[in-house]
Amino acid sequence: MKNPLTRFVGLGILSACLAGVGCEKHSPSQTIPGYAEKETAKHTIEKQTSMVPEGASTNAPVYFPDQQKPQ
């Protein structure tokens, strides 16, 4: 037969798992110093670069060659 202490330990582990006792996930802005400022700067730079229109290439590939009209 099992020892009552072993049953208590097993029951304690099982109840801890079912209760959700464990590691909590914290956002990086709460745990890393200066992370929020870096993220806002990063988003600002991304927004500024997204507002700049892309230029058209002067050496674009020709997919459909010019068709010659019959004479």
Side-chain angles (χ1 to χ4, degrees):
M1 296 198 101
K2 288 189 173 184
N3 188 359
L5 181 63
T6 319
R7 289 182 187 232
F8 263 146
V9 171
L11 187 59
I13 292 172
L14 179 65
S15 62
C17 289
L18 292 176
V21 176
C23 297
E24 295 181 17
K25 182 176 180 182
H26 298 283
S27 67
S29 60
Q30 293 176 346
T31 56
I32 301 173
Y35 184 84
E37 291 81 16
K38 290 179 185 176
E39 278 296 306
T40 54
K42 182 179 173 184
H43 287 300
T44 304
I45 292 170
E46 287 177 357
K47 186 169 184 162
Q48 288 174 350
T49 56
S50 69
M51 299 301 254
V52 176
E54 293 183 13
S57 174
T58 56
N59 298 326
V62 179
Y63 294 108
F64 303 105
D66 292 334
Q67 293 186 2
Q68 303 265 335
K69 290 185 178 180
Q71 294 179 354

XYZ file of all heavy atoms in Angstrom:
532
model
N 0.835 -1.187 0.000
C 0.000 0.000 0.000
C 0.879 1.250 0.000
O 2.010 1.221 0.448
C -0.901 0.015 1.233
C -1.890 -1.122 1.287
S -3.189 -0.741 2.433
C -4.432 -0.263 1.322
N 0.277 2.304 -0.488
C 1.013 3.556 -0.559
C 1.029 4.263 0.785
O 0.121 4.136 1.594
C 0.391 4.478 -1.605
C 0.625 4.037 -3.014
C 0.173 5.130 -3.948
C 0.557 4.768 -5.364
N 0.238 5.818 -6.292
N 2.054 5.021 0.971
C 2.216 5.819 2.171
C 1.233 6.998 2.100
O 1.077 7.622 1.054
C 3.668 6.304 2.219
C 4.012 6.988 3.512
O 3.180 7.143 4.389
N 5.254 7.386 3.612
N 0.558 7.372 3.206
C -0.374 8.514 3.170
C 0.316 9.824 2.800
O -0.294 10.699 2.191
C -0.935 8.583 4.585
C -0.576 7.320 5.248
C 0.538 6.699 4.469
N 1.593 9.943 3.138
C 2.332 11.154 2.775
C 2.455 11.274 1.262
O 2.320 12.364 0.703
C 3.715 11.132 3.434
C 4.607 12.342 3.159
C 3.960 13.602 3.732
C 5.974 12.143 3.761
N 2.670 10.151 0.588
C 2.779 10.156 -0.868
C 1.454 10.578 -1.500
O 1.438 11.307 -2.492
C 3.160 8.745 -1.373
O 4.130 8.185 -0.520
C 3.703 8.795 -2.769
N 0.368 10.129 -0.916
C -0.957 10.524 -1.451
C -1.181 12.026 -1.259
O -1.733 12.691 -2.127
C -2.058 9.736 -0.761
C -2.075 8.300 -1.168
C -3.205 7.579 -0.506
N -3.099 6.170 -0.785
C -4.090 5.445 -1.274
N -5.237 6.018 -1.521
N -3.921 4.168 -1.505
N -0.762 12.548 -0.097
C -0.904 13.977 0.146
C -0.092 14.799 -0.861
O -0.567 15.804 -1.386
C -0.470 14.345 1.566
C -1.593 14.446 2.538
C -1.391 14.081 3.857
C -2.836 14.916 2.161
C -2.414 14.177 4.781
C -3.857 15.016 3.066
C -3.655 14.636 4.382
N 1.122 14.388 -1.107
C 1.991 15.102 -2.052
C 1.394 15.042 -3.453
O 1.320 16.043 -4.169
C 3.427 14.525 -2.026
C 4.257 15.116 -3.152
C 4.078 14.785 -0.683
N 0.946 13.863 -3.845
C 0.333 13.712 -5.161
C -0.927 14.545 -5.302
O -1.179 15.182 -6.326
N -1.740 14.552 -4.244
C -2.959 15.354 -4.258
C -2.631 16.843 -4.306
O -3.300 17.620 -4.986
C -3.799 15.032 -3.014
C -5.177 15.663 -2.941
C -6.024 15.238 -4.128
C -5.858 15.304 -1.638
N -1.574 17.241 -3.609
C -1.155 18.645 -3.637
C -0.674 19.064 -5.015
O -1.007 20.160 -5.492
N 0.090 18.205 -5.667
C 0.567 18.520 -7.021
C -0.601 18.586 -7.997
O -0.684 19.493 -8.828
C 1.618 17.480 -7.467
C 2.892 17.626 -6.644
C 1.921 17.626 -8.947
C 3.901 16.520 -6.872
N -1.511 17.649 -7.878
C -2.673 17.633 -8.763
C -3.532 18.870 -8.566
O -3.955 19.502 -9.535
C -3.499 16.372 -8.512
C -4.758 16.224 -9.358
C -4.378 16.071 -10.827
C -5.578 15.044 -8.890
N -3.766 19.267 -7.323
C -4.585 20.461 -7.070
C -3.870 21.729 -7.545
O -4.517 22.665 -8.022
C -4.942 20.560 -5.593
O -3.780 20.700 -4.817
N -2.543 21.768 -7.434
C -1.795 22.934 -7.919
C -1.906 23.047 -9.437
O -2.062 24.145 -9.978
C -0.336 22.837 -7.498
N -1.852 21.913 -10.116
C -1.977 21.930 -11.583
C -3.370 22.365 -11.997
O -3.543 23.145 -12.941
C -1.670 20.555 -12.159
S 0.065 20.111 -12.068
N -4.378 21.843 -11.319
C -5.757 22.190 -11.670
C -6.092 23.631 -11.307
O -6.924 24.264 -11.950
C -6.726 21.233 -10.993
C -6.679 19.784 -11.490
C -7.619 18.916 -10.685
C -7.003 19.703 -12.967
N -5.456 24.162 -10.277
C -5.717 25.543 -9.856
C -4.992 26.550 -10.744
O -5.263 27.744 -10.692
C -5.305 25.732 -8.409
N -4.059 26.085 -11.561
C -3.356 26.988 -12.458
C -2.207 27.708 -11.790
O -1.803 28.780 -12.231
N -1.691 27.153 -10.710
C -0.559 27.768 -10.038
C 0.675 27.526 -10.892
O 0.967 26.412 -11.280
C -0.360 27.167 -8.630
C 0.875 27.744 -7.971
C -1.588 27.392 -7.793
N 1.375 28.567 -11.218
C 2.576 28.416 -12.027
C 3.091 29.764 -12.465
O 2.828 30.787 -11.844
N 3.804 29.755 -13.548
C 4.399 30.982 -14.060
C 3.335 31.845 -14.729
O 2.446 31.346 -15.410
C 5.488 30.655 -15.078
S 6.852 29.739 -14.377
N 3.439 33.118 -14.533
C 2.561 34.058 -15.207
C 3.339 34.739 -16.315
O 4.525 34.992 -16.184
C 2.061 35.122 -14.230
C 1.192 34.584 -13.133
C 0.717 35.684 -12.210
O 0.796 36.866 -12.583
O 0.274 35.352 -11.106
N 2.652 35.027 -17.395
C 3.311 35.707 -18.500
C 3.070 37.208 -18.351
O 1.937 37.659 -18.299
C 2.755 35.224 -19.839
C 3.440 35.859 -21.007
C 2.945 35.310 -22.318
C 3.684 36.008 -23.440
N 3.224 35.558 -24.732
N 4.159 37.931 -18.270
C 4.082 39.382 -18.193
C 4.542 39.960 -19.520
O 5.428 39.417 -20.171
C 4.975 39.915 -17.067
C 4.562 39.437 -15.717
N 3.489 39.947 -15.049
C 5.075 38.468 -14.913
C 3.364 39.329 -13.881
N 4.312 38.424 -13.781
N 3.943 41.076 -19.890
C 4.334 41.697 -21.151
C 5.745 42.266 -21.027
O 6.169 42.678 -19.942
C 3.349 42.798 -21.529
O 3.435 43.855 -20.611
N 6.500 42.311 -22.138
C 7.868 42.843 -22.079
C 7.919 44.296 -21.628
O 8.891 44.729 -21.036
C 8.372 42.704 -23.504
C 7.474 41.748 -24.175
C 6.175 41.785 -23.445
N 6.849 45.064 -21.905
C 6.864 46.471 -21.498
C 6.848 46.610 -19.981
O 7.275 47.630 -19.452
C 5.680 47.214 -22.109
O 4.460 46.630 -21.689
N 6.360 45.590 -19.270
C 6.358 45.636 -17.813
C 7.656 45.115 -17.225
O 8.068 45.549 -16.157
C 5.212 44.790 -17.259
C 3.845 45.328 -17.560
C 2.755 44.398 -17.062
O 3.024 43.250 -16.731
N 1.537 44.895 -17.024
N 8.308 44.178 -17.890
C 9.462 43.514 -17.291
C 10.807 44.034 -17.782
O 11.786 43.968 -17.054
C 9.402 42.005 -17.565
O 9.311 41.789 -18.970
C 8.200 41.374 -16.893
N 10.877 44.567 -19.004
C 12.152 45.032 -19.564
C 12.199 46.546 -19.477
O 11.341 47.226 -20.043
C 12.312 44.564 -21.024
C 12.263 43.049 -21.090
C 13.608 45.100 -21.613
C 12.241 42.496 -22.496
N 13.199 47.100 -18.787
C 13.278 48.558 -18.692
C 13.573 49.196 -20.052
O 14.435 48.742 -20.785
C 14.429 48.813 -17.727
C 14.901 47.495 -17.234
C 14.229 46.430 -18.018
N 12.813 50.223 -20.396
C 13.029 50.943 -21.644
C 12.399 50.285 -22.859
O 12.530 50.782 -23.970
N 11.688 49.173 -22.690
C 11.102 48.458 -23.822
C 9.970 49.260 -24.465
O 9.859 49.313 -25.684
C 10.575 47.091 -23.367
C 10.032 46.241 -24.481
C 10.885 45.472 -25.244
C 8.679 46.204 -24.771
C 10.408 44.684 -26.268
C 8.190 45.429 -25.793
C 9.047 44.671 -26.539
O 8.567 43.903 -27.559
N 9.149 49.883 -23.653
C 8.012 50.638 -24.183
C 8.488 51.799 -25.045
O 7.916 52.068 -26.109
C 7.138 51.140 -23.041
N 9.554 52.486 -24.608
C 10.065 53.616 -25.388
C 10.637 53.135 -26.723
O 10.459 53.777 -27.752
C 11.142 54.364 -24.602
C 10.619 55.110 -23.389
C 10.418 54.215 -22.174
O 10.957 53.092 -22.165
O 9.705 54.630 -21.248
N 11.335 51.997 -26.693
C 11.895 51.462 -27.939
C 10.794 51.036 -28.895
O 10.905 51.237 -30.104
C 12.803 50.270 -27.630
C 14.090 50.643 -26.942
C 14.924 49.421 -26.650
C 16.164 49.774 -25.844
N 16.940 48.589 -25.469
N 9.726 50.452 -28.366
C 8.627 50.023 -29.220
C 7.920 51.211 -29.864
O 7.577 51.167 -31.038
C 7.618 49.196 -28.412
C 8.007 47.759 -28.256
C 8.064 47.018 -29.574
O 7.077 47.029 -30.325
O 9.115 46.431 -29.861
N 7.704 52.278 -29.094
C 7.038 53.440 -29.677
C 7.921 54.077 -30.742
O 7.417 54.505 -31.784
C 6.673 54.470 -28.597
O 7.838 54.803 -27.854
C 5.611 53.940 -27.668
N 9.226 54.113 -30.505
C 10.139 54.657 -31.515
C 10.136 53.776 -32.764
O 10.133 54.283 -33.890
C 11.546 54.773 -30.952
N 10.098 52.484 -32.563
C 10.087 51.553 -33.690
C 8.811 51.712 -34.520
O 8.855 51.749 -35.750
C 10.183 50.118 -33.148
C 10.221 49.055 -34.197
C 10.351 47.684 -33.537
C 10.224 46.581 -34.542
N 10.252 45.253 -33.893
N 7.674 51.840 -33.838
C 6.408 52.026 -34.559
C 6.374 53.362 -35.295
O 5.827 53.453 -36.395
C 5.233 51.919 -33.596
C 4.962 50.523 -33.132
N 4.640 49.507 -33.984
C 4.986 49.975 -31.899
C 4.466 48.386 -33.307
N 4.689 48.640 -32.033
N 6.971 54.388 -34.701
C 7.017 55.694 -35.355
C 7.841 55.628 -36.637
O 7.425 56.148 -37.672
C 7.619 56.739 -34.392
O 6.865 56.744 -33.182
C 7.617 58.118 -35.014
N 8.985 54.963 -36.576
C 9.838 54.831 -37.762
C 9.132 54.007 -38.838
O 9.150 54.362 -40.026
C 11.191 54.200 -37.377
C 11.986 55.182 -36.519
C 11.980 53.793 -38.605
C 13.225 54.574 -35.885
N 8.474 52.915 -38.437
C 7.751 52.085 -39.400
C 6.623 52.865 -40.064
O 6.388 52.742 -41.266
C 7.186 50.843 -38.719
C 8.233 49.815 -38.376
C 7.650 48.619 -37.639
O 6.433 48.618 -37.349
O 8.428 47.691 -37.361
N 5.929 53.690 -39.291
C 4.831 54.484 -39.857
C 5.370 55.524 -40.835
O 4.789 55.748 -41.892
C 4.034 55.148 -38.746
C 2.815 55.856 -39.264
C 1.899 56.283 -38.168
C 0.658 56.888 -38.797
N -0.447 56.946 -37.895
N 6.492 56.156 -40.485
C 7.067 57.160 -41.374
C 7.529 56.525 -42.685
O 7.321 57.090 -43.754
C 8.246 57.859 -40.696
C 7.835 58.804 -39.600
C 9.028 59.376 -38.858
O 10.159 58.927 -39.034
N 8.782 60.352 -38.006
N 8.153 55.358 -42.616
C 8.618 54.714 -43.847
C 7.455 54.174 -44.667
O 7.554 54.088 -45.893
C 9.595 53.569 -43.537
O 8.970 52.647 -42.644
C 10.871 54.091 -42.924
N 6.335 53.838 -44.017
C 5.194 53.342 -44.782
C 4.477 54.460 -45.521
O 3.754 54.211 -46.480
C 4.215 52.614 -43.863
O 3.582 53.524 -42.995
N 4.665 55.692 -45.080
C 4.006 56.828 -45.740
C 4.764 57.301 -46.983
O 4.223 58.038 -47.787
C 3.860 57.992 -44.761
C 3.010 57.653 -43.552
S 1.377 57.151 -44.005
C 0.465 58.567 -43.551
N 6.004 56.871 -47.159
C 6.798 57.274 -48.320
C 6.397 56.388 -49.509
O 6.436 55.166 -49.413
C 8.305 57.115 -48.025
C 9.137 57.430 -49.245
C 8.703 58.006 -46.861
N 5.983 56.995 -50.627
C 5.582 56.178 -51.765
C 6.783 55.483 -52.404
O 7.897 56.001 -52.402
C 4.951 57.179 -52.732
C 5.547 58.486 -52.363
C 5.844 58.421 -50.889
N 6.519 54.305 -52.924
C 7.582 53.572 -53.599
C 7.732 54.098 -55.022
O 6.752 54.374 -55.704
C 7.254 52.079 -53.643
C 7.260 51.431 -52.294
C 7.005 49.936 -52.378
O 7.068 49.389 -53.495
O 6.751 49.350 -51.340
N 8.963 54.209 -55.448
C 9.208 54.692 -56.798
C 9.124 53.551 -57.802
O 9.361 52.389 -57.491
N 8.777 53.914 -59.019
C 8.714 52.913 -60.080
C 10.115 52.695 -60.647
O 10.919 53.612 -60.757
C 7.774 53.384 -61.178
N 10.398 51.464 -60.994
C 11.707 51.133 -61.542
C 11.797 51.599 -62.995
O 10.881 51.395 -63.789
C 11.929 49.625 -61.465
O 13.128 49.280 -62.105
N 12.914 52.212 -63.332
C 13.094 52.641 -64.726
C 13.504 51.475 -65.606
O 13.359 51.531 -66.825
C 14.169 53.734 -64.810
O 15.371 53.243 -64.220
C 13.721 54.976 -64.071
N 14.000 50.411 -65.013
C 14.404 49.222 -65.768
C 13.430 48.080 -65.488
O 13.830 46.972 -65.153
C 15.823 48.793 -65.378
C 16.843 49.852 -65.707
O 16.699 50.550 -66.699
N 17.847 49.985 -64.879
N 12.170 48.351 -65.649
C 11.164 47.331 -65.384
C 11.226 46.248 -66.449
O 11.518 46.521 -67.619
C 9.778 47.962 -65.381
N 10.968 44.986 -66.085
C 11.000 43.923 -67.082
C 9.825 44.028 -68.053
O 8.756 44.530 -67.699
C 10.886 42.651 -66.236
C 10.236 43.077 -64.977
C 10.669 44.488 -64.752
N 10.047 43.570 -69.239
C 8.999 43.623 -70.265
C 8.347 42.246 -70.317
O 8.967 41.270 -70.728
C 9.607 43.999 -71.636
C 8.521 44.019 -72.692
C 10.298 45.334 -71.550
N 7.103 42.181 -69.903
C 6.396 40.910 -69.923
C 5.694 40.695 -71.263
O 5.581 39.584 -71.739
C 5.372 40.842 -68.787
C 6.031 40.829 -67.422
C 5.981 41.935 -66.592
C 6.721 39.721 -66.980
C 6.583 41.918 -65.351
C 7.335 39.686 -65.740
C 7.253 40.788 -64.922
O 7.855 40.776 -63.695
N 5.173 41.756 -71.803
C 4.467 41.655 -73.072
C 5.192 42.543 -74.090
O 5.108 43.757 -74.031
C 3.020 42.117 -72.923
C 2.280 41.347 -71.860
C 2.001 41.919 -70.628
C 1.881 40.047 -72.082
C 1.339 41.215 -69.650
C 1.208 39.324 -71.111
C 0.943 39.910 -69.887
N 5.914 41.926 -75.019
C 6.647 42.741 -75.991
C 5.670 43.511 -76.893
O 4.526 43.124 -77.079
C 7.441 41.710 -76.790
C 6.763 40.420 -76.561
C 6.069 40.520 -75.250
N 6.173 44.625 -77.434
C 5.329 45.429 -78.340
C 4.960 44.596 -79.562
O 5.826 43.914 -80.153
C 6.093 46.681 -78.782
C 6.308 47.636 -77.606
O 5.490 47.588 -76.643
O 7.269 48.405 -77.635
N 3.709 44.670 -79.917
C 3.280 43.922 -81.113
C 3.343 44.838 -82.312
O 2.930 45.978 -82.265
C 1.866 43.407 -80.904
C 1.792 42.351 -79.818
C 0.409 41.730 -79.710
O -0.481 42.060 -80.468
N 0.271 40.811 -78.773
N 3.895 44.283 -83.364
C 4.016 45.036 -84.618
C 2.687 44.956 -85.372
O 2.099 43.898 -85.479
C 5.133 44.415 -85.479
C 6.458 44.361 -84.773
C 7.304 45.559 -85.118
O 7.150 46.169 -86.159
N 8.210 45.905 -84.224
N 2.231 46.094 -85.865
C 1.009 46.098 -86.645
C 1.322 45.592 -88.051
O 2.357 45.940 -88.626
C 0.419 47.504 -86.727
C -0.128 47.967 -85.409
C -0.812 49.311 -85.559
C -1.392 49.758 -84.251
N -2.070 51.034 -84.339
N 0.464 44.759 -88.613
C 0.714 44.290 -89.994
C 0.608 45.459 -90.976
O -0.230 46.306 -90.868
C -0.384 43.265 -90.250
C -1.332 43.351 -89.110
C -0.732 44.181 -88.044
N 1.481 45.448 -91.975
C 1.506 46.545 -92.951
C 0.775 46.208 -94.204
O 0.527 45.233 -94.685
C 2.954 46.888 -93.291
C 3.633 47.432 -92.097
C 5.102 47.763 -92.399
O 5.628 47.479 -93.462
N 5.743 48.367 -91.432
